Amino acid sequence: MTLPHTGRALADAAPVPYWLDRPVRPDPLPPLTGAHTADLLVVGGGYAGLWTAVLAKEAEPDRDVLLVDAGTCGWAASGRNGGFCAASLTHGLANGVERFPGEIVELERLGRENLDAIAATVARHGIDCDFERTGELAVAVEPYQLDGLAADADLGRRYGRDVRLLDRDQVRAEVASPTYLGGMWDRDRTALLDPAKLAWGLRRAALDLGVRIHEHTRVTGLAADGAALHATTAGGADAAPGAVRAARVALATNAFPPLLRRLRAWTVPVYDYALMTEPLTAAQRDAIGWRRRQGLADTGNQFHYYRLTADGRILFGGYDAVYHYGNRVAPALEQREATFRTLAAHFFTTFPQLEGLRFSHRWGGVIDTCTRFCAFFGTAHSGRLAYAAGYTGLGVGATRFAARVTLDLLAGADTPLTRLDLVRRKPLPFPPEPFRAAGINLTRWSLARADARNGRRNLWLRTLDRSGLGFDS
Ligand SMILES: Cc1cc2nc3c(=O)[nH]c(=O)nc-3n(C[C@H](O)[C@H](O)[C@H](O)COP(=O)(O)OP(=O)(O)OC[C@H]3O[C@@H](n4cnc5c(N)ncnc54)[C@H](O)[C@@H]3O)c2cc1C
């Protein structure tokens, strides 16, 4: 249902990510031109690439590390996400238990250690990214979702998580929404942060450590060159082409057209959208409670995620997850009026007491979905290239772990990380077009239908469940 005031609320929203729309932004670094060499070339300057560069330099300060990004560091998913930095490396505990039952205890421990290490790095490098370890509150908004929350709380406790199940009154005492029927608060395995400030802070830390960074530099080709790899680059209209001969290459290009053909089978680019409100007044804040500032998510298949910012706005995102035929990725797809109207209507259903509040920003971005919902890893070119991809909308924390794995793979080392099933096994591939688009659209339709029918999954979803295939954001 579209409420009459949603159009007004969206009327002045700027069509750009709030986090990147800041008066103070880092100056772009010059494109790469001419011929260069490096011990390690990192392709992609989102979190995955930046963590790879930072960790490589921290481990070996003399290593010559060069990072290039087709845009500016953090312009893509890393600078425009919800800022939920979760400990989970498996897109949630239930998914991890189902897919990696033999090592989920270890993965939970590694995830926890990873989140702690992110907090420590943020402190060590003085990265001002409003890091708050608030935990996450999952809420039921339909009666059938209460059983799912209770099961998740049981599972969480079994694996040592600090979870609290909240009844209707308790959850509304935390956050005042008339739609809430119950909740589960996982108290310390999620931090909230300012995503662009994290990316820019990691970029600063990388530069301080001696990483050479070139922005507006797209790698256009990669080929074997004796014992090394040769990358060709293009730097936009004004810049001459460049080239890098590197002993090792880390691919961290997320949902963008991959430089390695095989990655096309394992990931699909899916657009996810978000709105940001204006800062709330003191009276509006009083009307919603939310004093403990948890990250919030509801628990349908099509779910919303929402959170407060440091300056008292609300980010409200999710629900639609849109795939475009042929893996299409394009700037025009970052805006989708129908989704913004849906999100605005759902926002005011969730918080009717905020009627009159306006949105200042609306945007979308692309995530790299894979059929197992969590990152996979691999090497090519006789181990000289390593990649990680497939974060499926939960990469803020997992990218740091993926960077550690990437560096272990590039070292050719047999380590506790490279021995993990999570690292050795690949997700099931997506079929080629036209079956890819048809399958994804049927799955999306079925998930929406399940949400409308008390969670009942149709034959198609049950078949996917049995084959270990899925679609999520
Ligand atoms: C709207 C939205 C909300 C999200 N919310 C959350 C959340 O709350 N929590 C969470 O955990 N995750 C969330 N995610 C997902 C999360 O943002 C990503 O998983 C994470 O940022 C991935 O980081 P990355 O470095 O792999 O990718 P990116 O940040 O996409 O970086 C990839 C980089 O590679 C560069 N590149 C691509 N091809 C080339 C090339 N050929 N040459 C040079 N450079 C190239 C691109 O320019 C880009 O900068 C969200 C994503 C979106 C879009």
Side-chain angles (χ1 to χ4, degrees):
M1 182 183 60
T2 304
L3 301 176
H5 53 276
T6 53
R8 280 200 306 283
L10 283 166
D12 301 324
V16 286
Y18 163 75
W19 309 110
L20 295 169
D21 187 22
R22 294 291 183 47
V24 183
R25 278 178 287 192
D27 291 332
L29 294 160
L32 181 126
T33 55
H36 297 258
T37 59
D39 297 328
L40 171 64
L41 169 66
V42 180
V43 186
Y47 300 138
L50 290 165
W51 277 117
T52 306
V54 165
L55 294 177
K57 270 297 203 185
E58 284 186 337
E60 278 180 71
D62 293 338
R63 196 166 182 184
D64 181 18
V65 180
L66 196 157
L67 181 150
V68 296
D69 193 281
T72 52
C73 291
W75 78 271
S78 299
R80 60 182 65 209
N81 60 69
F84 285 57
C85 185
S88 177
L89 303 174
T90 55
H91 209 273
L93 180 56
N95 189 48
V97 169
E98 191 182 320
R99 294 178 192 277
F100 307 103
E103 62 188 33
I104 186 62
V105 171
E106 176 67 352
L107 293 174
E108 284 282 288
R109 188 190 65 74
L110 287 166
R112 173 71 187 245
E113 183 185 287
N114 187 57
L115 182 57
D116 291 345
I118 293 172
T121 309
V122 162
R124 191 168 66 250
H125 287 283
I127 297 175
D128 165 24
C129 65
D130 302 325
F131 189 95
E132 307 176 72
R133 201 148 171 174
T134 58
E136 184 171 341
L137 180 57
V139 294
V141 294
E142 297 287 344
Y144 79 88
Q145 294 169 358
L146 290 167
D147 287 348
L149 278 189
D152 283 350
D154 272 355
L155 190 68
R157 284 194 206 100
R158 240 182 292 146
Y159 285 91
R161 289 191 173 195
D162 178 14
V163 292
R164 229 182 108 195
L165 204 56
L166 307 178
D167 66 20
R168 191 184 117 126
D169 291 343
Q170 287 168 325
V171 72
R172 291 186 189 187
E174 288 295 327
V175 184
S177 169
T179 63
Y180 295 171
L181 305 176
M184 186 191 80
W185 184 13
D186 192 338
R187 283 195 278 198
D188 72 340
R189 293 182 65 95
T190 297
L192 296 179
L193 50 76
D194 180 320
K197 285 193 191 169
L198 175 63
W200 294 337
L202 287 172
R203 175 186 183 270
R204 176 77 261 152
L207 290 169
D208 290 347
L209 289 162
V211 176
R212 289 179 289 146
I213 299 183
H214 291 278
E215 296 183 314
H216 296 295
T217 301
R218 177 182 303 283
V219 174
T220 50
L222 272 175
D225 179 5
L229 288 174
H230 180 83
T232 47
T233 69
D238 301 334
V244 185
R245 188 171 192 275
R248 295 286 181 271
V249 173
L251 272 195
T253 56
N254 196 30
F256 294 93
L259 290 157
L260 209 55
R261 229 188 133 62
R262 71 187 72 158
L263 293 180
R264 281 184 73 93
W266 289 317
T267 59
V268 295
V270 170
Y271 278 85
D272 186 37
Y273 297 90
L275 298 174
M276 185 68 88
T277 71
E278 297 171 328
L280 274 62
T281 62
Q284 287 167 330
R285 280 302 310 273
D286 282 345
I288 54 169
W290 210 349
R291 295 286 162 214
R292 291 194 254 222
R293 302 177 58 83
Q294 303 95 328
L296 284 168
D298 45 40
T299 47
N301 290 305
Q302 288 188 287
F303 63 94
H304 308 90
Y305 54 87
Y306 40 121
R307 56 160 294 183
L308 293 163
T309 63
D311 65 347
R313 299 163 186 266
I314 299 175
L315 176 147
F316 194 79
Y319 197 73
D320 279 344
V322 183
Y323 171 73
H324 296 276
Y325 190 91
N327 280 13
R328 201 151 77 89
V329 175
L333 304 177
E334 293 168 10
Q335 293 295 312
R336 194 165 191 267
E337 290 311 318
T339 296
F340 296 136
R341 282 197 302 274
T342 303
L343 283 174
H346 292 178
F347 177 85
F348 289 113
T349 302
T350 307
F351 295 124
Q353 62 275 52
L354 296 182
E355 186 174 341
L357 187 64
R358 297 169 81 94
F359 298 101
S360 63
H361 295 77
R362 55 183 157 94
W363 71 94
V366 70
I367 61 181
D368 58 342
T369 292
C370 72
T371 55
R372 74 181 198 193
F373 314 146
C374 58
F376 59 88
F377 310 85
T379 59
H381 292 288
S382 311
R384 294 187 187 102
L385 178 149
Y387 57 82
Y391 304 99
T392 318
L394 206 66
V396 174
T399 41
R400 181 189 173 279
F401 174 79
R404 287 182 61 203
V405 173
T406 302
L407 292 171
D408 279 5
L409 290 173
L410 286 174
D414 176 28
T415 70
L417 300 191
T418 61
R419 282 195 289 272
L420 290 169
D421 274 351
L422 174 83
V423 173
R424 292 152 63 101
R425 288 205 328 239
K426 298 286 188 298
L428 290 169
F430 289 96
E433 297 290 15
F435 307 106
R436 178 174 288 205
I440 290 172
N441 289 332
L442 175 59
T443 308
R444 284 192 59 214
W445 177 83
S446 303
L447 290 170
R449 202 168 134 89
D451 284 342
R453 298 169 75 214
N454 292 329
R456 277 201 306 280
R457 294 169 87 77
N458 64 13
L459 183 62
W460 172 251
L461 291 181
R462 292 200 307 274
T463 309
L464 291 183
D465 292 344
R466 272 196 300 275
S467 2
L469 278 161
F471 181 76
D472 205 338
S473 59

